[in-house]
Amino acid sequence: MQQEAPAVDTTATDGPEIEIRGLHKSFGANHVLRGIDLDIARGEVVCVIGPSGSGKSTLLRCVNLLEEPSEGRVFVGGTELTDPDVDIDAVRRRIGMVFQQFNLFPHVSVRENLVLPQRRVLGRNKAEAEAVARKNLARVGLSDKSEAYPAQLSGGQQQRVAIARALSMGPEVMLFDEPTSALDPELVGEVLAVMRVLAGEGMTMMVVTHEMSFAREVADRVVFMDGGVIVEQGPAAQVVGDPLEERTRSFLNRILDPAAAEAPGARGEGPPAPPR
């Protein structure tokens, strides 16, 4: 494993699995991320919350270089992804990502959706890939849907297949970008239940979400972003239950009590508070 800066011992059990330093991202004149510093330890579940346009999804996509940072450094498992000489494909094999949309192959079965990436990317033989696929379909409660096609599944089932597909690649880190936002409300719970199991198994997880109950119950830490900066972060119970920053409180009030958002004076709080 390529080592990062000598001051960081990446073999230590409490060393960061994800390390982000001075991260900026601009799209033309739009400065989306403004100097993000963030560590995520091995086995830690971190939920990133914030209003639309705060930079949450862009931050997540920078972690596996689906978006190229404008400035800054990103390490995963001690390897710097932002090093121009890094084998980015090799590093990405250690990172699973689940998107808002399911992105399943519509023309093949659920089983083949899990088998094909393993064979093409990891070079596994058919028997091994199918054994891994069966194991991970069982983990997400879909063993009985192995031969179904994506169009025959509900949205929640399709998202669980997407999670199983990511797990079949053997990732050390899982990134979730609003994994329930495209689902009908009654299907959200089945996806969150799978994510709870993964968290309980010790998977390192970075989750962009608007599900505050999930963040409060499952996250080790919650990060609140606004205006491209981290405004507040800390234990889930503190950030979601008793936030320190007025900007965080205002956001959570609107999320947890949507009717209050329409009250006079509920809008236009002003610019985001500076990060603590």
Side-chain angles (χ1 to χ4, degrees), residues 141-185:
L142 290 174
S143 296
D144 61 333
K145 300 296 184 182
S146 176
E147 299 308 314
Y149 283 78
Q152 298 172 308
L153 305 180
S154 70
Q157 290 171 331
Q158 290 186 63
Q159 191 62 295
R160 284 189 281 157
V161 171
I163 293 172
R165 179 178 60 185
L167 292 172
S168 293
M169 305 300 285
E172 300 167 14
V173 171
M174 285 287 286
L175 309 178
F176 294 86
D177 187 6
E178 296 276 16
T180 61
S181 66
L183 301 179
D184 292 333

Side-chain angles (χ1 to χ4, degrees), residues 104-125:
L104 301 177
F105 302 127
H107 60 289
V108 299
S109 68
V110 164
R111 174 179 53 81
E112 284 298 306
N113 264 279
L114 273 63
V115 167
L116 289 173
Q118 296 180 66
R119 299 199 68 190
R120 293 178 180 176
V121 178
L122 302 180
R124 289 175 178 161
N125 63 45

Side-chain angles (χ1 to χ4, degrees), residues 88-100:
I88 187 61
D89 291 332
V91 179
R92 281 185 179 142
R93 292 181 195 126
R94 293 153 48 187
I95 306 171
M97 186 155 185
V98 178
F99 299 88
Q100 297 178 29

Side-chain angles (χ1 to χ4, degrees), residues 233-261:
Q233 63 175 304
Q238 179 257 301
V239 174
V240 178
D242 188 22
L244 300 176
E245 299 290 344
E246 175 57 34
R247 183 66 188 93
T248 315
R249 289 194 294 272
S250 174
F251 169 76
L252 288 170
N253 286 340
R254 292 203 307 275
I255 292 294
L256 300 174
D257 185 9

Side-chain angles (χ1 to χ4, degrees), residues 5 14 17 20 24 35 45 85 87 106 131-132 142 151 175 183 237 241 255 266:
D14 59 348
E17 185 69 30
I20 300 167
H24 291 257
V45 178
D85 297 323
D87 183 346
V132 171
L142 290 174
L175 309 178
L183 301 179
I255 292 294

